[in-house]
Amino acid sequence: NAGVTQTPKFQVLKTGQSMTLQCAQDMNHNSMYWYRQDPGMGLRLIYYSASEGTTDKGEVPNGYNVSRLNKREFSLRLESAAPSQTSVYFCASTLTGSNEQFFGPGTRLTVL
Amino acid sequence: GENVEQHPSTLSVQEGDSAVIKCTYSDSASNYFPWYKQELGKRPQLIIDIRSNVGEKKDQRIAVTLNKTAKHFSLHITETQPEDSAVYFCALLGGGYQKVTFGTGTKLQVIP
């Protein structure tokens, strides 16, 4: 099993550009999450999906949209990137009833 | 949302000494308290967790204690080794759906 995978690993955008971060898991997990990690601020939840077909806002959803394409895939979209969105983005998944979060390798995004 | 405070933000110990990291929270409905370890440039990984009906849990050199009355939980690492050097995050799961709130992290340095 590949576990949780994310693409791309690195990305540089200019202010105003758009892009989609991809996440996929092959562990048959029900719940998926997107976090951003900034120095000194830990991991903050952007959006999550409790199950296929549902999405909900987390702590810092402004400027982002998500799509739970199917049970395996959960994408994060930045419609108009801003320098404040420079961060490391982690996708994670959880099997219902387990609580343990499995993280992807992360995407380092820089917005100039 | 749920708030969790983590201290200290940095911790240096000599190899072989013990390290203790403490987290406090406010929501008495919180019922699951995991600890994640993140090595430099890597993804966070679960190292130990505890549920609200248990006061202490050990796994070799690491242990977690929970004081529900005082609303704090701590990670204890004994006989520290250089490979324990990493950032450690406490987290908790509230009474609602599977949304995990993370602390701001503790950078542990074990000096050989």
Side-chain angles (χ1 to χ4, degrees):
Chain A
N1 287 353
V4 182
T5 57
Q6 291 182 235
T7 55
K9 288 190 183 337
F10 302 94
Q11 183 71 50
V12 179
L13 294 177
K14 294 181 180 178
T15 297
Q17 287 185 315
S18 63
M19 79 159 296
T20 300
L21 281 64
Q22 306 286 354
C23 174
Q25 52 87 15
D26 62 0
M27 297 177 285
N28 202 35
H29 286 177
N30 303 93
S31 303
M32 298 185 74
Y33 309 80
W34 275 106
Y35 294 93
R36 60 177 289 172
Q37 184 174 35
D38 302 293
M41 301 189 75
L43 291 147
R44 292 184 292 168
L45 183 64
I46 304 171
Y47 270 94
Y48 70 104
S49 171
S51 61
E52 185 179 352
T54 68
T55 61
D56 283 288
K57 295 179 180 179
E59 182 185 353
V60 288
N62 291 347
Y64 305 95
N65 284 301
V66 290
S67 294
R68 183 73 182 268
L69 305 169
N70 46 55
K71 191 171 186 179
R72 292 187 64 249
E73 299 172 289
F74 189 38
S75 62
L76 178 72
R77 182 159 178 84
L78 287 71
E79 289 291 351
S80 178
S84 60
Q85 294 178 304
T86 293
S87 188
V88 179
Y89 291 85
F90 285 99
C91 177
S93 68
T94 304
L95 183 63
T96 301
S98 168
N99 296 139
E100 178 179 358
Q101 300 218 335
F102 290 84
F103 286 85
T107 295
R108 185 174 293 275
L109 175 67
T110 301
V111 183
L112 303 174
Chain B
E2 176 57 82
N3 187 46
V4 55
E5 294 189 7
Q6 182 172 348
H7 298 282
S9 56
T10 61
L11 180 60
S12 290
V13 299
Q14 291 292 135
E15 182 177 356
D17 287 350
S18 295
V20 181
I21 304 168
K22 183 176 177 179
C23 287
T24 59
Y25 62 97
S26 55
D27 185 0
S28 57
S30 300
N31 54 25
Y32 173 69
F33 306 88
W35 285 89
Y36 286 81
K37 176 183 180 182
Q38 186 179 29
E39 296 177 353
L40 188 62
K42 302 285 183 65
R43 70 192 79 186
Q45 291 189 297
L46 180 73
I47 54 171
I48 196 168
D49 57 12
I50 193 168
R51 298 194 180 275
S52 58
N53 57 347
V54 177
E56 182 176 2
K57 183 177 178 181
K58 287 184 180 179
D59 183 1
Q60 299 182 346
R61 294 186 297 108
I62 60 173
V64 56
T65 58
L66 171 65
N67 184 327
K68 286 216 72 180
T69 303
K71 295 181 187 171
H72 65 73
F73 57 111
S74 299
L75 177 71
H76 305 255
I77 307 174
T78 58
E79 301 172 28
T80 53
Q81 300 168 4
E83 52 263 39
D84 294 331
S85 295
V87 177
Y88 292 82
F89 292 97
C90 66
L92 55 82
L93 184 67
Y97 199 77
Q98 288 185 314
K99 283 198 295 185
V100 174
T101 300
F102 285 85
T104 50
T106 296
K107 184 175 182 180
L108 173 64
Q109 181 185 20
V110 179
I111 304 166

